Amino acid sequence: MKVRFASLTAVAVVGTMFTAGCSIGSTPQRDAGAVSPPPSAVGKTLPYAGAPKVEHPLPESVLSAHPCDGALTPDQLRRILDQTPKGERDDWDALGAQCHWINSDAGAIVSVLYGTKAPDGLSAVYANTKPKSSVWLPLPPVRSFPAVAHSTYGPEGSKSFCQVSVGVSDQHTVNVSITLGQAKVGKVAPCEVAAQITDMVVANLMRTAGA
């Protein structure tokens, strides 16, 4: 069974809670508006466009590994997807390294993108993604880092997809997205799910940094 993919996100994470039913669609498709490459940062002081400042940034080195190699642990993937699929690399030259984990049977997809190539961090998300978004929800800090949940899909698409972007420094972001299948649409809020998974990813990065 093929699944639909959308790329660049307080319910307990237990059992198969995030596992979704079969998703509509055929081949994976990127949501190109989810995270847009920024315009030139020449003359701009970070942060800008209303993005909050990252007061205690993580070192850039924590994003040097590919997200397929540790952004989520096998135990975490099992809790999220009810299985531990191998991560599939789908890197963006203009943005950074990205990994997808897919439960093909259920139609559930989790993706993590390390935004290291676009130097404006969360400011670029506020400047370029916010105007296109049908969903834009600034979140409480994730482990002290500023975060926003968003989707550029219309009302129907936003019922199954959400992405969370976190500023781990003024220059870099971590972006986590979830795509739910039809069985979970309307029963689970995708932005809540994406926020919980984001907390896991950021906690893992903090451990890597020794924070």
Side-chain angles (χ1 to χ4, degrees):
M1 179 181 298
K2 293 182 179 180
V3 294
R4 179 186 60 182
F5 167 68
S7 166
L8 342 185
T9 226
V11 184
V13 184
V14 291
T16 61
M17 175 185 152
F18 299 152
T19 303
C22 296
S23 179
I24 59 174
S26 53
T27 56
Q29 299 293 324
R30 293 188 180 196
D31 176 15
V35 178
S36 302
S40 172
V42 174
K44 294 181 180 178
T45 300
L46 296 174
Y48 61 85
K53 183 171 181 57
V54 180
E55 298 293 345
H56 303 289
L58 288 177
E60 184 176 357
S61 60
V62 301
L63 302 180
S64 60
H66 198 279
C68 282
D69 300 327
L72 291 165
T73 68
D75 180 64
Q76 288 168 338
L77 287 169
R78 190 176 300 109
R79 292 162 62 193
I80 296 165
L81 294 171
D82 198 31
Q83 58 179 237
T84 56
K86 183 179 179 180
E88 300 181 9
R89 299 188 179 208
D90 183 24
D91 300 345
W92 293 59
D93 291 340
L95 296 173
Q98 179 172 234
C99 188
H100 313 309
W101 293 269
I102 303 173
N103 180 331
S104 298
D105 296 329
I109 308 170
V110 175
S111 301
V112 177
L113 183 148
Y114 293 164
T116 58
K117 299 291 184 69
D120 288 13
L122 206 56
S123 294
V125 180
Y126 270 71
N128 302 320
T129 305
K130 183 178 181 180
K132 305 174 185 176
S133 296
S134 56
V135 173
W136 183 264
L137 299 170
L139 299 174
V142 175
R143 306 270 172 170
S144 80
F145 299 99
V148 61
H150 53 90
S151 173
T152 60
Y153 285 110
E156 289 304 310
S158 295
K159 291 179 181 178
S160 61
F161 173 82
C162 189
Q163 178 167 299
V164 172
S165 296
V166 180
V168 294
S169 71
D170 286 336
Q171 295 79 25
H172 300 129
T173 59
V174 170
N175 306 278
V176 178
S177 65
I178 181 75
T179 299
L180 303 173
Q182 286 182 310
K184 287 296 181 179
V185 175
K187 299 177 182 178
V188 176
C191 288
E192 290 186 3
V193 175
Q196 293 168 49
I197 300 171
T198 301
D199 184 81
M200 297 178 188
V201 174
V202 173
N204 292 339
L205 291 172
M206 292 177 70
R207 279 191 287 272
T208 298

